Amino acid sequence: METLTLTRPDDWHLHLRDGAAMQAVLPHTVRQFARAIVMPNLRPPVRTVVEAAAYRDRILAAIPAGQEFEPLMTLYLTDNTRPEEILAAKEAEFVKAVKYYPAGATTNSDAGVTEISKCDRVFEAMQQVSMPLLLHGEVTDPGVDMFDREKVFIEKYLIPLREQFPLLRMVLEHVTTSEAVEFVLATDNMAATITPQHLLFNRNSLFLGGLRPHYYCLPILKRETHREALLGAATSGNPKFFLGTDSAPHPRNGKESACGCAGCFSALHAMELYAEAFESVNALDKLEAFASFYGPAFYGLPRNSDRITLGKTTWRIPDELPFGDTELVPLRAGEAIGWKMV
Ligand code: NCD
Ligand code: ZN
């Protein structure tokens, strides 16, 4: 069997949820990744260092016996976050970043920022102590077309924010457009994460033979030209682009609904999905740096020292997985995939 051995990767954008849901999904991530940047969009959100410490303890307690995993925590930025909280976060070394959600942009974002200028003093403090700002880069204005929300966010908010805080280190999370790729390339102190779904699928996947809720995530899948731009960025060997699955579990009935939740679950088979995407453009030699080198470099952390191996063998992605007292449907459920972590 053809195999691919890589330095163990990390996931720089992950939703673990809490309680029984977290216990159900965490082992999948632990199997593939050594560390993950854990998103703070719980209900209620993780807003303070004290809350992040408690959430971290709950994650650590849920790691399967005998396995190792380091959760890298984030704080959820609100209109009321104080600069002092940033200084406390810097002191507490387990908090690695602050997450900005425009209020109402995505799952559990109602407590997000209503007006970006309210955070000026916080951004000042973050710039000073070199605390990265992770951005959900979409406008929420209902008058803006769903497929333009990332592009408009860059023009309307990100360019001015960059001018106001030129040294603030930022990650434009889960980029989905060629405009985002171009902006990241042209801007200092700016990196981006890319998900497997945005590398593998375009918006046609949402409507293939009928409405496909398990392909619905935010930012939404875009047209093919954007997917090609993302795949070009991910496989370019540019350290500004690194792995972030945005694996976002929801119960099946939350997705298969008249008003379904946004989020794709990929923690089960993330590395296999990325391998397939990289292989599609003959760039498997670029996968290790994207998955295992550029993220630690951005966050100033050491690379992992152990390795994982993917074998070239075809298997069928399960139809569903246990999820607390219910189930979830993984990305591309029921279909074949040509790589398997061994
Ligand atoms: C995420 C979730 O479910 O928490 N959903 C998603 O579609 N990506 C939130 C987010 O990252 O936008
Ligand atoms: Zn996310």
Side-chain angles (χ1 to χ4, degrees), residues 22 50-63 71 73 94:
M22 185 244 289
V50 170
E51 288 164 349
Y55 184 31
R56 179 171 176 270
D57 287 343
R58 297 196 294 279
I59 297 168
L60 291 174
I63 297 171
M73 308 310 291
F94 56 85

Side-chain angles (χ1 to χ4, degrees), residues 13-15 39 41 99 101 106 136 173-174 218 246-248:
H13 182 127
L14 175 67
H15 298 272
M39 289 296 130
N41 61 332
K99 179 69 191 260
Y101 291 102
T106 186
H136 185 106
E173 297 283 1
H174 41 49
L218 289 172
D246 195 20
S247 180

Side-chain angles (χ1 to χ4, degrees), residues 89-201:
K90 190 70 188 180
E91 295 268 294
E93 285 183 357
F94 56 85
V95 177
K96 297 298 181 195
V98 173
K99 179 69 191 260
Y100 166 84
Y101 291 102
T106 186
T107 307
N108 298 350
S109 65
D110 347 325
V113 175
T114 60
E115 212 187 292
I116 200 159
S117 62
K118 294 197 170 162
C119 301
D120 280 357
R121 288 177 53 243
V122 169
F123 294 149
E124 195 74 62
M126 290 175 64
Q127 178 167 260
Q128 232 157 57
V129 301
S130 191
M131 174 68 71
L133 177 66
L134 313 183
L135 297 140
H136 185 106
E138 287 194 292
V139 294
T140 54
D141 177 350
V144 174
D145 190 281
M146 186 73 192
F147 294 91
D148 293 335
R149 288 184 178 183
E150 184 174 273
K151 180 173 92 121
V152 174
F153 180 84
I154 294 170
E155 291 161 0
K156 205 167 157 191
Y157 296 106
L158 201 44
I159 292 175
L161 184 65
R162 168 42 80 222
E163 278 168 13
Q164 200 180 347
F165 302 100
L167 301 178
L168 179 58
R169 307 184 67 235
M170 300 192 229
V171 183
L172 188 50
E173 297 283 1
H174 41 49
V175 285
T176 63
T177 57
S178 59
E179 289 87 356
V181 168
E182 281 158 29
F183 177 76
V184 170
L185 282 173
T187 308
D188 288 341
N189 297 314
M190 175 73 63
T193 52
I194 309 184
T195 76
Q197 64 267 26
H198 293 105
L199 292 177
L200 287 169
F201 310 117

Side-chain angles (χ1 to χ4, degrees), residues 233-265:
T235 60
S236 66
N238 187 318
K240 283 173 164 284
F241 299 97
F242 46 85
L243 184 156
T245 62
D246 195 20
S247 180
H250 291 273
R252 179 196 280 279
N253 65 8
K255 298 282 298 173
E256 298 175 8
S257 150
C259 186
C261 304
C264 298
F265 181 76

